[in-house]
Amino acid sequence: MNAVIHSLLNFLSRFRRRMPIVYRSVIGGLAVLAAFLTLDVCFPVPVRVPYSTIVTASDGTVIYSFLSPDDKWRMKTELPEIIPTLKNAIIVKEDKWFYWHFGINPVAVVRAAFKNIFNWRTTSGASTITMQVARLLAPKERTLWNKFTEGFRALQLECHYSKDEILQLYLNLVPYGGNIEGVKAASLLYFGRLPDHLSLAQITTLAIIPNRPTTLALGKNNELIQAQRNKWLQRFQASGSFPEKDIQDALTEPLDAVRRDVPHLAPHFALRMKMMYPDEPIIKTRLRTPIQQKIEQLAVNYNRRMRFLGVNNAAVMIIDNTDRSVVAYCGNPDFNDMLHHGQVDGVKSVRSPGSALKPLIYALGIERGLITPKTILTDVPTNFNGFAPENFNRQFNGTITAEKALAFSLNIPAVKVLDKLGVPLFVDKLQQLGFNQIRKDSKKLGLSAALGGCGVRLEEMTNLYATFARGGKFQPLLWLASAQNDSSTERAFISDGAAYMITEILTQPTRPDVPNLSQNSIHVPKIAWKTGTSYGRRDAWSIGYNQRYTIGVWVGNFDGEGVPELTGADAATPLLFEIFNSLEYNSANVWFDRPKSVDFRLVCAETGLPPSEYCTNQIIDYFIPTVSSNRKCEHLKTVFVSAAEDFSYCTSCLPDNGYKRMEFPNLSPELINFYESEHRGYAKIPPHNPTCSRIFTERAPQITSPVNGKTYLLERGEDQKLMFACTADNEVQLVYWYINDRFVKSAAPGAPVFIAPPEGEVKISCSDDKGRNANCRVTVVSSK
């Protein structure tokens, strides 16, 4: 190693003695290079350009733009937008040796210096495009020192960026008068198109403005600008920069530059994207401009009509089911309506869903084998531990199939199915779908969630229904063009069989949530849809889907004011149908195929269960093999009665003769209670043999009021009483009420009894005429 160093020093010494001038030049050059590199590290070139944030649609069109942080319209021009015509025009006009020099053109510097010295004033400049970029990045007064600084910055730019990137910076920073900077902002605001769609005449116009942005003001001095443009076109012609035909076409093209408004389509969506991606100068989304324009116009027109009814706000979201792209987004029809909170985004506002979550409840019930579409559910007054829901029309049907209960949006059957499923399972499923407010309130939610007792967002609800449209498979929403959904983001949320059955139910056209005005449903393509109306008629929902799109509509008032006409059927569904008509009017009604997991079977029409030998009325029903219940129908039960049919017998008291065998409906106690209260006829089992000594234990009465474990407040001095009620078996004729083991009163099984209990802990007992007993305990307090 020492020998190598010694040899190198000897070589340098001989080189310095024999070629002193070259040696000094090399050492000087190295010193200059070292100084430049040191300064480059210590004073890096500032290239942080504060761009205007622009939001683009799936086709690249700009749908919204925001001012830059320094209040400029400065939109970033991307490299693919710098087409050859634009690049050639700028380089020929500004710096024809741009691709040959290293940021400073020595020939231009010498020529400019000679002219300026000869004329004793500045008559010519030597700034290259790179030097102009340096000046535009850090504008300063034009002095000799600043000119040297400009040159140094130009060298830095050439070291760190490619020529195309430097040209891109130039096109992003050149001034066009006022607060407009950059080719992209100028082309969009004056010509209404992006740079890669400009003609040669328009490109030449934008090329000459930056030198005189005040004198050549687009939209004001168009005649002067056109004259200057044509001069440069003739120069391009003389230099052969462009084909002759293109030059001739450009010379005859009129100049129609006028100051246009900045694009302001989908303002709520654009604001959301800016909040989600604050550092992106260009946010490329999957929104589709034609669809967005359609729904905004439809929503504005619909909102004008609804305002006569006192309904001032609406929101719409459309999802492409193939990949979950958000293709349309309307947070409110009138963004500038300050009186009615127009800037609130209805798509992400937390609202009550009303009945719109019921399809998920029934889907989970099908998936877990609790129900099938033809399963008979009871629709009777029911108290769920203090929660006593009612149907929307305050009527009860007694018995109804699951599919009709969902299609007619009945409340009590839905709550019963949820009660069997369990609220934790339902809440967990919603959390898996990304329902954020439900995640926050998960510990507070109960059975009322089935009827809208929870908070949801339109985007969450729309994606839930898109999950049904995709056979029960969930995927997150896609906002950006660069985002992708694949098998890794897809998960089975519910079975394809359950999703298919729910879709078939929601497709039924004969149902109460079809709009009252018949013209709203004319020519509507085949869709599955469900409505929802929140308590107090504050929110109206209608969400529908076919194979291609899922559309969610919310209508209401952001201030929470209820309106009598605000129902899902009459306030939201008409807009849903209008949107589907506008998008899918001429489309083929291609529908979902039945999955292999779903099959048909015969069931008894009385229960929806597989028929037994007594079932004569049989119908076809969907079911999922190995999942749906195979329990045989037991809608009839055999009872031994006397010859006169005035007594019934059990096996303990059955006589040797003088009796006969009869079939009676095997009704639940709550259904019997409903029939009794509504005075509906049904086949009653005769009273049991009074001489029977058997003690019965099964099918004891159920106390429905008061509710076990609850505290009741009674106003002192108001002679207030509690209602005692129960449900009992078909053959029970009389029940007996006890308070703290002391007999109080007897009554028919379905008859309410009003009793004033003592204060404190109270034990309430109910016994039927067969000796079966039920107890509950409540606390009674009196107001002071």
Side-chain angles (χ1 to χ4, degrees), residues 664-669 671-686 728-733 748-750:
F664 287 88
N666 191 15
L667 304 178
S668 64
L671 194 57
I672 295 170
N673 188 43
F674 172 71
Y675 287 159
E676 291 286 348
S677 64
E678 294 288 315
H679 305 291
R680 296 188 185 184
Y682 66 97
K684 296 183 180 180
I685 300 175
D729 202 12
N730 191 349
E731 55 200 49
V732 174
Q733 306 297 317

Side-chain angles (χ1 to χ4, degrees), residues 453-472:
C454 57
V456 301
R457 295 174 172 84
L458 179 60
E459 62 183 89
E460 298 165 346
M461 294 296 296
T462 309
N463 199 17
L464 166 62
Y465 281 72
T467 300
F468 288 122
R470 292 290 293 168

Side-chain angles (χ1 to χ4, degrees), residues 229-244:
R229 179 202 73 182
N230 290 345
K231 286 183 180 179
W232 272 101
L233 285 170
Q234 290 167 355
R235 293 180 184 178
F236 292 157
Q237 183 180 28
S239 62
S241 302
F242 298 97
E244 182 68 24

Side-chain angles (χ1 to χ4, degrees), residues 355-356 358-359 362 373 377 379 390-397 399-414 451 502 504-514 529-533 569:
S355 298
K358 288 177 182 175
Y362 284 89
L377 304 174
D379 178 28
E390 293 182 331
N391 291 323
F392 188 77
N393 60 3
R394 300 182 182 275
Q395 301 293 320
F396 302 95
N397 296 276
T399 59
I400 193 168
T401 62
E403 63 180 357
K404 282 191 176 180
L406 176 55
F408 284 63
S409 196
L410 300 179
N411 291 339
I412 295 171
L451 311 181
I502 293 299
E504 290 299 289
I505 294 172
L506 297 183
T507 308
Q508 297 179 10
T510 306
R511 45 201 266 198
D513 58 355
V514 174
W529 87 97
K530 180 71 181 73
T531 61
T533 304

Side-chain angles (χ1 to χ4, degrees), residues 517-528:
L517 298 177
S518 60
Q519 61 265 29
N520 286 313
S521 56
I522 295 176
H523 304 306
V524 175
K526 186 176 183 180
I527 62 171

Side-chain angles (χ1 to χ4, degrees), residues 557-598:
N557 292 309
F558 288 143
D559 60 8
E561 180 183 356
V563 177
E565 294 80 10
L566 195 60
T567 65
D570 294 327
T573 302
L575 180 56
L576 176 75
F577 285 2
E578 286 183 17
I579 294 172
F580 263 115
N581 274 333
S582 67
L583 297 181
E584 299 282 89
Y585 181 77
N586 291 320
S587 64
N589 282 333
V590 179
W591 200 240
F592 303 93
D593 295 326
R594 176 170 60 89
K596 295 180 180 179
S597 61
V598 176

